[in-house]
Amino acid sequence: MIENIIDFYKRIGQYNYSEAAGVTKGKPYFSLQEGHCHINQAIFGYRGFYKVTLLLETGKLYYADKWIMVDRPALMFATPAVPYAWEALADSGKRGWFCIFNEEFIQVSEQMGTLADSPLFCSSKDRIYFLDNDTLDEIQEIGRQIRRETASDYPQKFDVLRCYFHLLVHKAMMLEKGNHYVSHKNAAQRTVELFLVLLDHQFPVEFPANPLRLRSATDYAERLSIHVNHLNRVVKAVTGHTTSDLINRRIVQEAVALLQHSPCSISEIGWALGFNEVSSFSNYVKKHTGTSPSDLRMKAG
């Protein structure tokens, strides 16, 4: 299950109707709030939103196959593409903050421009940045500026918030260093579980709004921030099937369902499943089912 913004607020006990009203599909959403320490709570999974957190507690940050100890002030970036969990081990008594925002807040020009090489969009970038005292003071001041701006009624406040957000990203990247991660004891099982959840959430596809975006083992490995060879190895070891077999099986299942029940044309269904040419789609379906798309459609009729 992918946690959305409202589910997140409910989980941390900060749900209120004014926040719920602000989370409107298709509209930009951005909020900054004080962070709270939840000792020994590590909920691992995908989030349907972006999050930047100023961490002042001691804890462990978990990813699919590794974790890192956070024992000093740090700035953490979380995206919908990469699953993680935070386990607080000790409350410092100091309050950090978090800002969360949706896809609509991030403009296309930013994904292709100055933020393209940032922790938000580059899977090879680190996502936790430890802060020295001077940078911590600067980050806290940016947080105060963001808090004031979110409460304003300035018509163009989202543009101002994006400027502050850019500043946060660049402050972090100025500190970029290689961090030391530790491997999970149960890394293989967790990695496979995350892969299967991610695979399941690619479906059903919709034409033309939601075509299939992840079609290869490499695509999934990039989303999980692991090497494709590692993904292939653990998937085979845990499930007995190759990564490609599992992906193809799910694509074929979706193809058959759409051919038999969707009003879309064969070419539209092929495009929705990532095939640019109808001939390629037809060959793919026949290879895996022994039946052509047109015959499958006729059988449904």
Side-chain angles (χ1 to χ4, degrees):
M1 180 178 179
I2 298 179
E3 182 180 58
N4 61 35
I5 293 177
I6 292 179
D7 291 336
F8 167 74
Y9 281 133
K10 289 180 178 178
R11 175 168 62 82
I12 67 172
Q14 292 184 223
Y15 177 80
N16 60 67
Y17 288 102
S18 62
E19 286 292 347
V23 184
T24 305
K25 188 175 182 180
K27 293 184 179 180
Y29 177 81
F30 186 100
S31 178
L32 184 144
Q33 299 186 36
E34 185 179 79
H36 294 273
C37 182
H38 298 274
I39 302 296
N40 294 330
Q41 293 190 8
I43 299 177
F44 203 96
Y46 291 92
R47 277 74 173 175
F49 51 87
Y50 296 85
K51 184 181 179 187
V52 179
T53 307
L54 174 61
L55 295 169
L56 299 180
E57 299 94 5
T58 297
K60 293 181 178 180
L61 179 61
Y62 295 90
Y63 290 108
D65 61 341
K66 59 190 177 183
W67 63 273
I68 186 170
M69 177 65 73
V70 180
D71 54 3
R72 55 194 186 276
L75 198 65
M76 183 190 80
F77 293 84
T79 79
V82 179
Y84 74 95
W86 165 253
E87 181 183 11
L89 301 177
D91 190 347
S92 67
K94 301 177 181 178
R95 292 303 182 197
W97 48 254
F98 63 85
C99 56
I100 60 176
F101 47 98
N102 58 9
E103 192 74 41
E104 287 75 16
F105 178 78
I106 299 292
Q107 297 179 332
V108 174
S109 59
E110 293 166 333
Q111 297 187 34
M112 303 299 292
T114 58
L115 296 186
D117 195 39
S118 76
L120 289 176
F121 306 112
C122 182
S123 60
S124 64
K125 290 289 183 181
D126 215 335
R127 301 186 184 279
I128 186 79
Y129 297 85
F130 293 103
L131 310 175
D132 56 35
N133 290 334
D134 290 340
T135 307
L136 175 60
D137 290 341
E138 293 176 357
I139 295 297
Q140 288 177 319
E141 177 56 31
I142 295 172
R144 286 188 284 269
Q145 296 284 352
I146 291 175
R147 186 178 289 109
R148 283 192 288 268
E149 191 58 40
T150 55
S152 77
D153 56 1
Y154 177 53
Q156 306 301 323
K157 73 176 183 179
F158 280 115
D159 291 334
V160 180
L161 289 171
R162 289 187 188 96
C163 291
Y164 284 129
F165 177 69
H166 275 246
L167 187 56
L168 274 179
V169 173
H170 288 295
K171 285 292 182 184
M173 292 177 68
M174 289 176 187
L175 298 170
E176 189 169 14
K177 297 177 182 178
N179 287 321
H180 177 66
Y181 290 87
V182 181
S183 297
H184 287 306
K185 292 181 179 179
N186 61 341
Q189 184 67 39
R190 173 170 283 175
T191 298
V192 174
E193 289 173 356
L194 290 169
F195 161 69
L196 293 174
V197 169
L198 184 57
L199 175 63
D200 186 61
H201 278 91
Q202 303 312 302
F203 305 94
V205 297
E206 299 173 4
F207 176 83
N210 185 35
L212 183 63
R213 302 187 186 281
L214 306 181
R215 296 189 65 246
S216 69
T218 300
D219 294 336
Y220 284 88
E222 288 178 351
R223 282 293 186 94
L224 293 169
S225 294
I226 59 178
H227 195 280
V228 65
N229 291 344
H230 175 68
L231 177 63
N232 289 335
R233 184 168 58 252
V234 297
V235 168
K236 180 67 174 179
V238 172
T239 70
H241 302 282
T242 68
T243 312
S244 295
D245 284 344
L246 293 174
I247 295 170
N248 286 329
R249 184 183 302 175
R250 193 63 182 85
I251 293 175
V252 170
Q253 179 183 337
E254 185 73 6
V256 172
L258 290 172
L259 288 166
Q260 294 182 341
H261 303 291
S262 170
C264 295
S265 68
I266 292 176
S267 62
E268 289 172 335
I269 293 171
W271 183 89
L273 292 172
F275 296 88
N276 294 325
E277 301 291 337
V278 67
S279 59
S280 298
F281 176 59
S282 296
N283 291 335
Y284 178 88
V285 172
K286 190 167 185 178
K287 174 184 175 182
H288 290 281
T289 68
T291 308
S292 69
S294 56
D295 287 343
L296 285 168
R297 172 146 286 185
M298 288 176 64
K299 288 180 180 180

